[in-house]
Structures are given as structure tokens and as C-alpha cells.
């Protein structure tokens, strides 16, 4: 769900009006403490007092009474709550450490608009955007370098889009999404794609040659993920996999450990013959490449889809529509010779200099998208 953001520093002294709205719920996030407040049934009956619940990052909660018209700083001080650092500036709007993140429907109910001072302060808040962005990365094998070029462009011209974005991916798209949310430099990821492609070209049948150990190259990429990768990825990364026993698509977005995340990525990238003959297991089920059943994962919110195949993705190669469209595993593309060649090259990689051309093509296509959609509300 899109979460429009409003910064109000100094422990949110300007949101007293929110306490007069019994149905409104919001989150206050002064690191490392989270504050959650909601109106109780008793408060609805007796509007003078409202129950306020503060929840810290470690799960500790404090439920206290706040008088109608008080702001959250007043309530915390009046009840002598142990919230380290919260309201240290005494409500002077000195920083953006204390801020609100609203659900869209709640944000739309706020009549008072942000002041210029608050908007300036919002610019200093790490990882906040006007709307939470979703990015879908198509499964595309070695043509993942195209996706890297597109992400590099978005990061160069509109970095705020990626700070808090949620990523959906299958196969190579899932790998790239994991690297992005975990802070792995994109030049390292690109180098890994090119090195694997170079090694594959040394074999007669490429990655399908018996003896070529694709899993070994995959493990090199996994080594770049930090120890807390599962914490960084949970909630921000959605990985598409195909369950073998019924060939249905499964999306995973929460992990208890780094190894669980890595095993999910193995499942999402496993192509029989390409990755080996024995599929990996996750949660007591066998899984194979998510591209078999959901090659371009999407949700119901606003999303930027990226694909190296010309077609219906928002960022994709521009070209003729050909004889029609081909829809396969939730990905729609034009039925053209160029697209069929791209499909072949996704598994049988061309020389590195051609893969680099795909990288620059992705960069240019993303730049074209930004110019074309400069008034698109996610890019404001």
C-alpha cells in the first residue's frame, strides 16, 4: 500500500488536530523508537480523553491517556514515558528524526497542508518519498544487465525513488532486487553477470554444458550479501518462485535468516539443466524458477515495471509491435524477431561487449521513461 509521508519534527507538535480524529492511526518513527497511537472505544464515548499507545522498536508498549488537543510530545512528557531521544528538541522543528508515516486514506483526511518549513525538513529525512514506490524486475537471465542499466539511471536522476522502494522480482530480477535492498554496489553486480557470461561462453553449450557449475557462480554473488540481508530484504523484496508439486506461483517477502533469503533466491533462479538437475527445497517443498509462472511480478499498487523485452513494461526497449503480443507467465511482449533473439541471449549469453550494449540500452530507456513521465505523480 502506498504510504504518503509527512514530516513534522519536534515530536510532531503540529498534529494536535489528529487527536481529535478517533479513527485515525499513524506511526511515529524516531529511531530507534516507534510510536503508535489509536483511539479506543472508550475515547469515542468520552471525547475529552484518548488512549495513546507508544510502541518501541524492541516491542515494549506504553498505553497512557492523552487529553484532547495535546500533541504526542505533551502526552509523552505528561506521563513521564521512557522514550530515549524522543522530543529532545522540545518541539522546535530542529530536525526530521521525529516524523509521521500515514496510510494513504488517513493522509487524505488531513486538511492542513505541509508548510514550506516542513517540506524543507522532509528533504533531510533519510529514505522518505511522497509515495512508496514499487518496482518490478523481470526474470531475464543474463539480460539482467539491462535491468542494472535501468536502475543505475533511476538512481542517477531520481535517487529518492529507490530509497524506500519495494522490489518485485523473478530469477535474475530477484537477485538484482536483493542486491539493491541490501546495498550491494551495482557495479559489483554487473561485474558478476559479465564474469559468469564470459565463463559460460568457454563451454560448447554454454551454461547447459555438463560440467559447468552455475551454482558456484551464483554462490559468489550470494557472498556479497551482508549478514543482515534477511532483515533488510523482509518487506521490501518480493521473490517469485514456482512450486513444483502443483506448478503454482509463490511469492515470498519475509525471512528469518540470511540463509533462508539465499535459499529463496536459489529457488527463484533454478532452471532444470541450466542450474542443475536437483531443484532446491524451501519450507519442505521443491521449487524452480519463478519465471515459469510469474516472470514479471506485479501487485495492485502503482508500480514501475522493467523488462529487457520490448512490450508492455513501462521501461523496456522501444521497437515495432510486430505481428502481435505474446503473454507468458504474466509478462507481455511483442512478437518480434528482436524479442526472440533476446530470449535466446538470456540463456546463451553473447560476448561481454554486447551485454554492455544491453546495459546502456537499459540506461537510455529508463532515461526516456523519466523524461516522458516527468509529471507522473510518483516522480514529483
Amino acid at each position: 500500500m502506498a504510504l504518503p509521508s509527512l514530516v513534522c519534527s519536534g515530536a510532531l507538535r503540529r498534529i494536535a488536530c489528529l487527536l481529535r480524529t478517533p479513527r485515525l492511526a499513524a506511526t511515529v518513527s524516531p529511531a530507534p523508537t516507534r510510536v503508535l497511537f489509536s483511539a479506543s472505544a472508550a475515547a469515542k464515548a468520552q471525547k475529552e480523553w484518548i488512549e495513546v499507545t507508544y510502541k518501541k522498536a524492541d516491542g515494549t508498549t506504553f498505553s497512557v491517556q492523552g487529553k484532547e488537543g495535546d500533541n504526542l510530545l505533551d502526552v509523552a512528557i505528561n506521563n513521564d514515558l521512557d522514550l530515549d531521544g524522543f522530543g529532545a528538541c522540545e518541539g522546535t522543528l530542529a530536525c526530521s528524526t521525529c516524523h509521521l508515516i500515514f496510510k494513504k486514506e488517513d493522509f487524505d483526511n488531513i486538511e492542513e497542508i505541509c508548510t514550506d518549513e516542513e517540506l524543507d525538513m522532509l528533504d533531510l529525512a533519510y529514505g522518505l518519498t511522497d509515495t512508496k514506490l514499487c518496482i518490478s524486475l523481470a526474470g531475464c537471465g543474463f539480460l539482467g544487465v539491462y535491468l542494472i542499466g535501468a536502475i543505475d539511471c533511476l538512481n542517477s536522476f531520481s535517487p529518492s525513488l529507490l530509497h524506500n522502494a519495494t522490489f518485485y522480482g523473478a530469477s535474475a530480477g530477484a537477485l538484482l532486487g536483493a542486491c539493491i535492498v541490501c546495498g550491494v554496489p551495482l557495479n559489483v553486480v554487473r561485474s558478476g553477470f559479465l564474469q559468469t557470461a564470459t565463463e559460460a561462453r568457454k563451454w560448447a553449450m554454454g551454461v547447459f554444458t555438463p560440467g559447468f557449475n552455475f551454482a558456484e557462480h551464483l554462490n559468489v554473488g550470494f557472498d556479497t550479501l551482508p549478514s543482515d540481508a534477511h532483515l533488510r530484504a523482509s518487506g521490501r523484496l518480493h521473490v517469485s518462485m514456482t512450486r513444483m508439486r502443483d506448478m503454482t506461483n509463490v511469492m515470498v517477502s519475509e525471512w528469518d535468516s540470511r540463509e533462508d533469503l539465499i535459499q529463496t533466491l536459489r529457488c527463484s533462479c533454478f532452471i532444470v539443466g541450466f542450474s542443475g538437475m536437483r531443484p532446491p527445497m524451501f519450507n519442505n517443498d521443491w521449487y524452480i524458477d519463478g519465471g515459469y509462472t510469474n516472470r514479471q511480478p506485479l501487485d495492485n499498487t502503482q508500480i514501475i515495471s522493467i523488462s529487457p523485452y520490448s512490450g508492455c513494461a513501462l521501461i523496456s526497449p522501444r521497437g515495432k509491435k510486430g505481428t502481435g503480443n505474446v503473454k507468458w507467465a504474466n509478462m507481455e511482449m511483442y512478437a518480434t524477431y528482436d524479442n526472440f533473439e533476446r530470449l535466446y541471449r538470456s540463456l546463451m549469453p553473447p560476448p561481454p561487449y554486447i551485454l554492455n550494449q544491453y546495459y546502456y540500452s537499459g540506461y537510455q530507456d529508463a532515461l526516456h521513461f523519466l523524461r516522458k513521465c516527468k509529471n507522473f505523480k510518483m516522480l514529483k
Side-chain angles (χ1 to χ4, degrees), residues 12 25 37 44 50 63 166 198 209 217 280 295:
L12 315 169
F37 77 86
K44 295 177 182 178
I50 296 175
S63 293
T166 297
T198 300
T209 305
H217 292 275
R295 200 176 185 89

PDB file of all heavy atoms in Angstrom, residues 12 25 37 44 50 63 166 198 209 217 280 295:
ATOM      1  N   LEU A  12       6.311  16.261  16.635  1.00  0.00           N
ATOM      2  CA  LEU A  12       5.028  16.357  15.963  1.00  0.00           C
ATOM      3  C   LEU A  12       4.075  17.319  16.654  1.00  0.00           C
ATOM      4  O   LEU A  12       2.910  17.018  16.883  1.00  0.00           O
ATOM      5  CB  LEU A  12       4.390  14.960  15.869  1.00  0.00           C
ATOM      6  CG  LEU A  12       5.377  13.892  15.429  1.00  0.00           C
ATOM      7  CD1 LEU A  12       4.762  12.531  15.614  1.00  0.00           C
ATOM      8  CD2 LEU A  12       5.770  14.101  14.001  1.00  0.00           C
ATOM      9  N   ALA A  25      -5.133   6.462  12.537  1.00  0.00           N
ATOM     10  CA  ALA A  25      -3.995   5.754  13.113  1.00  0.00           C
ATOM     11  C   ALA A  25      -2.756   6.160  12.365  1.00  0.00           C
ATOM     12  O   ALA A  25      -2.790   6.363  11.171  1.00  0.00           O
ATOM     13  CB  ALA A  25      -4.189   4.237  13.024  1.00  0.00           C
ATOM     14  N   PHE A  37      -0.271   5.321  17.839  1.00  0.00           N
ATOM     15  CA  PHE A  37      -1.407   5.736  18.642  1.00  0.00           C
ATOM     16  C   PHE A  37      -2.704   5.412  17.943  1.00  0.00           C
ATOM     17  O   PHE A  37      -2.790   5.388  16.729  1.00  0.00           O
ATOM     18  CB  PHE A  37      -1.317   7.221  19.006  1.00  0.00           C
ATOM     19  CG  PHE A  37      -1.678   8.160  17.896  1.00  0.00           C
ATOM     20  CD1 PHE A  37      -2.999   8.522  17.688  1.00  0.00           C
ATOM     21  CD2 PHE A  37      -0.703   8.690  17.063  1.00  0.00           C
ATOM     22  CE1 PHE A  37      -3.327   9.395  16.692  1.00  0.00           C
ATOM     23  CE2 PHE A  37      -1.037   9.557  16.058  1.00  0.00           C
ATOM     24  CZ  PHE A  37      -2.365   9.914  15.880  1.00  0.00           C
ATOM     25  N   LYS A  44     -13.991   7.140  22.172  1.00  0.00           N
ATOM     26  CA  LYS A  44     -15.071   7.558  21.284  1.00  0.00           C
ATOM     27  C   LYS A  44     -16.281   8.027  22.093  1.00  0.00           C
ATOM     28  O   LYS A  44     -16.992   8.950  21.708  1.00  0.00           O
ATOM     29  CB  LYS A  44     -15.465   6.411  20.351  1.00  0.00           C
ATOM     30  CG  LYS A  44     -14.354   6.015  19.391  1.00  0.00           C
ATOM     31  CD  LYS A  44     -14.786   4.835  18.546  1.00  0.00           C
ATOM     32  CE  LYS A  44     -13.650   4.403  17.626  1.00  0.00           C
ATOM     33  NZ  LYS A  44     -14.021   3.232  16.812  1.00  0.00           N
ATOM     34  N   ILE A  50      -8.230  10.441  25.185  1.00  0.00           N
ATOM     35  CA  ILE A  50      -7.958   9.459  24.133  1.00  0.00           C
ATOM     36  C   ILE A  50      -6.804   8.564  24.592  1.00  0.00           C
ATOM     37  O   ILE A  50      -5.804   9.053  25.110  1.00  0.00           O
ATOM     38  CB  ILE A  50      -7.581  10.143  22.809  1.00  0.00           C
ATOM     39  CG1 ILE A  50      -8.758  10.969  22.295  1.00  0.00           C
ATOM     40  CG2 ILE A  50      -7.171   9.120  21.758  1.00  0.00           C
ATOM     41  CD1 ILE A  50      -8.438  11.764  21.053  1.00  0.00           C
ATOM     42  N   SER A  63       0.747   2.247  27.241  1.00  0.00           N
ATOM     43  CA  SER A  63      -0.595   2.763  26.976  1.00  0.00           C
ATOM     44  C   SER A  63      -0.944   3.786  28.043  1.00  0.00           C
ATOM     45  O   SER A  63      -0.970   3.463  29.237  1.00  0.00           O
ATOM     46  CB  SER A  63      -1.624   1.624  26.963  1.00  0.00           C
ATOM     47  OG  SER A  63      -1.398   0.760  25.871  1.00  0.00           O
ATOM     48  N   THR A 166       9.817  -0.748  -2.860  1.00  0.00           N
ATOM     49  CA  THR A 166       9.623  -2.183  -2.715  1.00  0.00           C
ATOM     50  C   THR A 166       9.900  -2.832  -4.065  1.00  0.00           C
ATOM     51  O   THR A 166       9.460  -2.327  -5.098  1.00  0.00           O
ATOM     52  CB  THR A 166       8.184  -2.500  -2.273  1.00  0.00           C
ATOM     53  OG1 THR A 166       7.956  -1.917  -0.984  1.00  0.00           O
ATOM     54  CG2 THR A 166       7.959  -3.998  -2.180  1.00  0.00           C
ATOM     55  N   THR A 198      31.073 -14.666 -19.411  1.00  0.00           N
ATOM     56  CA  THR A 198      32.363 -14.950 -20.050  1.00  0.00           C
ATOM     57  C   THR A 198      32.763 -16.405 -19.842  1.00  0.00           C
ATOM     58  O   THR A 198      33.232 -17.086 -20.775  1.00  0.00           O
ATOM     59  CB  THR A 198      33.447 -14.019 -19.483  1.00  0.00           C
ATOM     60  OG1 THR A 198      33.085 -12.659 -19.746  1.00  0.00           O
ATOM     61  CG2 THR A 198      34.797 -14.305 -20.117  1.00  0.00           C
ATOM     62  N   THR A 209      26.118 -26.958 -20.651  1.00  0.00           N
ATOM     63  CA  THR A 209      27.162 -27.967 -20.813  1.00  0.00           C
ATOM     64  C   THR A 209      27.375 -28.719 -19.502  1.00  0.00           C
ATOM     65  O   THR A 209      27.570 -28.092 -18.451  1.00  0.00           O
ATOM     66  CB  THR A 209      28.490 -27.316 -21.220  1.00  0.00           C
ATOM     67  OG1 THR A 209      28.294 -26.529 -22.396  1.00  0.00           O
ATOM     68  CG2 THR A 209      29.555 -28.381 -21.474  1.00  0.00           C
ATOM     69  N   HIS A 217      28.928 -20.037  -9.429  1.00  0.00           N
ATOM     70  CA  HIS A 217      28.935 -18.612  -9.763  1.00  0.00           C
ATOM     71  C   HIS A 217      27.851 -17.873  -8.986  1.00  0.00           C
ATOM     72  O   HIS A 217      28.031 -16.728  -8.579  1.00  0.00           O
ATOM     73  CB  HIS A 217      28.723 -18.433 -11.265  1.00  0.00           C
ATOM     74  CG  HIS A 217      29.862 -18.913 -12.101  1.00  0.00           C
ATOM     75  ND1 HIS A 217      30.958 -18.129 -12.372  1.00  0.00           N
ATOM     76  CD2 HIS A 217      30.077 -20.109 -12.717  1.00  0.00           C
ATOM     77  CE1 HIS A 217      31.804 -18.804 -13.134  1.00  0.00           C
ATOM     78  NE2 HIS A 217      31.294 -20.012 -13.355  1.00  0.00           N
ATOM     79  N   PRO A 280      16.177 -27.018  -5.678  1.00  0.00           N
ATOM     80  CA  PRO A 280      16.363 -26.707  -4.255  1.00  0.00           C
ATOM     81  C   PRO A 280      15.045 -26.786  -3.504  1.00  0.00           C
ATOM     82  O   PRO A 280      13.961 -26.740  -4.105  1.00  0.00           O
ATOM     83  CB  PRO A 280      16.904 -25.271  -4.285  1.00  0.00           C
ATOM     84  CG  PRO A 280      16.382 -24.693  -5.551  1.00  0.00           C
ATOM     85  CD  PRO A 280      16.301 -25.832  -6.533  1.00  0.00           C
ATOM     86  N   ARG A 295       6.784 -14.187 -14.462  1.00  0.00           N
ATOM     87  CA  ARG A 295       8.054 -13.652 -14.938  1.00  0.00           C
ATOM     88  C   ARG A 295       8.182 -12.148 -14.680  1.00  0.00           C
ATOM     89  O   ARG A 295       9.281 -11.620 -14.580  1.00  0.00           O
ATOM     90  CB  ARG A 295       8.179 -13.928 -16.445  1.00  0.00           C
ATOM     91  CG  ARG A 295       9.585 -13.877 -16.985  1.00  0.00           C
ATOM     92  CD  ARG A 295       9.595 -14.261 -18.462  1.00  0.00           C
ATOM     93  NE  ARG A 295      10.945 -14.329 -18.990  1.00  0.00           N
ATOM     94  CZ  ARG A 295      11.708 -15.408 -18.965  1.00  0.00           C
ATOM     95  NH1 ARG A 295      11.248 -16.514 -18.413  1.00  0.00           N
ATOM     96  NH2 ARG A 295      12.921 -15.392 -19.487  1.00  0.00           N
TER      97      ARG A 295
END
